[in-house]
Amino acid sequence: LYPGHIPTSPLQKALLAAGSAVMALCDPYRHDMVAVLGETTGCLALTNLRDKMKNHPEGYHILQERPRIRLSTLDMTRLQGLPDGSLGREYVRFLEDNKVSPDTRMPPKFVDDEELAYVIQRYREVHDLMHTLLGMPTNMLGEVVVKWFEAIQTGLPMCVLGAAFGPVRLSTRKLQVLATELVPWAIRSGLNASCVLNVYYEQRWEQPVESLREELGIFPPP
């Protein structure tokens, strides 16, 4: 169906989902297992996200052009030169501060629909932009908060699992902050915000982060 696609039966998908779920719970930083879990359990959620994109002018444009967020497609020098507070500058700052790269996002393998495969690829590639918009780092606390927001936004079982079980590795103090401040804010923002996959981020680099948050309906981080 697309380069790298691996056809699998429903039984094979179930076995992959179970195995990847166990591995991801044991080690949340096993991004390969998290990716497999997302692909083998996300068909209904991906279909819903695809339909939301098709019914939105900007989302439809993204599906038609299929942009990619990778180092090869980003003009890092230009983004670094944008004003502080702009989406592009803050995105690059996030990448630099957390020592992450957009090129680490795995390509889909087990999604049996070429268009849905792009949707999950797009979700993965805008994940760091969610961190940027939500003001969350890549530590376990930040990842759990982003997963709560993404679980509400996308309905992907992988995100729901991460939101539910990610906190077990947090200290008591962080759990208190998570439960009393961060999770309620992430849920309210996720419910209030329009679909984050309907934003053509590559055409919004100059837009201030605060302006984009307000446009989407994301409440200011606590």
Side-chain angles (χ1 to χ4, degrees):
L1 293 176
Y2 51 87
H5 174 244
I6 300 175
T8 47
S9 68
L11 175 60
Q12 289 172 319
K13 279 187 172 60
L15 292 173
L16 284 168
S20 60
V22 171
M23 293 299 295
L25 288 173
C26 291
D27 183 1
Y29 290 102
R30 281 291 303 272
H31 298 298
D32 54 340
M33 293 294 98
V34 174
V36 171
L37 180 62
E39 293 176 31
T40 53
T41 62
C43 182
L44 292 177
L46 290 173
T47 301
N48 183 47
L49 287 170
R50 187 266 313 277
D51 292 345
K52 286 183 178 180
M53 295 177 75
K54 280 190 170 181
N55 292 319
H56 186 277
E58 201 164 338
Y60 182 76
H61 193 195
I62 293 167
L63 282 178
Q64 293 299 302
E65 295 197 349
R66 301 200 178 180
R68 297 290 306 277
I69 299 177
R70 302 182 60 81
L71 290 178
S72 60
T73 65
L74 296 173
D75 186 343
M76 298 297 286
T77 302
R78 172 175 168 266
L79 297 183
Q80 289 168 338
L82 291 174
D84 289 343
S86 64
L87 177 65
R89 182 68 192 93
E90 297 310 315
Y91 172 62
V92 171
R93 195 191 312 278
F94 169 83
L95 296 178
E96 294 171 343
D97 289 349
N98 293 279
K99 297 179 174 58
V100 293
S101 166
D103 287 0
T104 59
R105 302 299 167 191
M106 292 184 61
K109 296 179 180 178
F110 301 109
V111 179
D112 295 328
D113 180 283
E114 186 264 343
E115 193 170 44
L116 296 184
Y118 174 75
V119 173
I120 199 167
Q121 183 76 57
R122 182 67 174 175
Y123 157 74
R124 289 172 182 169
E125 292 183 358
V126 303
H127 176 74
D128 289 335
L129 283 158
M130 294 304 98
H131 277 273
T132 305
L133 284 171
L134 298 173
M136 290 293 129
T138 57
N139 59 22
M140 186 56 65
L141 181 62
E143 290 291 352
V144 169
V145 174
V146 173
K147 278 292 175 283
W148 273 100
F149 177 83
E150 291 180 339
I152 299 295
Q153 275 277 307
T154 69
L156 285 166
M158 168 199 67
C159 296
V160 176
L161 192 69
F165 290 97
V168 299
R169 295 173 174 268
L170 298 175
S171 66
T172 302
R173 183 180 63 83
K174 288 182 178 180
L175 279 174
Q176 184 177 4
V177 174
L178 186 72
T180 60
E181 296 182 33
L182 296 176
V183 166
W185 164 73
I187 292 175
R188 285 192 302 114
S189 290
L191 290 171
N192 189 64
S194 54
C195 180
V196 293
L197 289 187
N198 285 335
V199 179
Y200 207 140
Y201 296 97
E202 296 89 331
Q203 298 179 355
R204 307 285 201 107
W205 295 131
E206 293 86 358
Q207 184 172 355
V209 169
E210 290 186 6
S211 168
L212 185 52
R213 280 183 190 142
E214 184 176 349
E215 177 186 334
L216 288 171
I218 297 174
F219 299 111

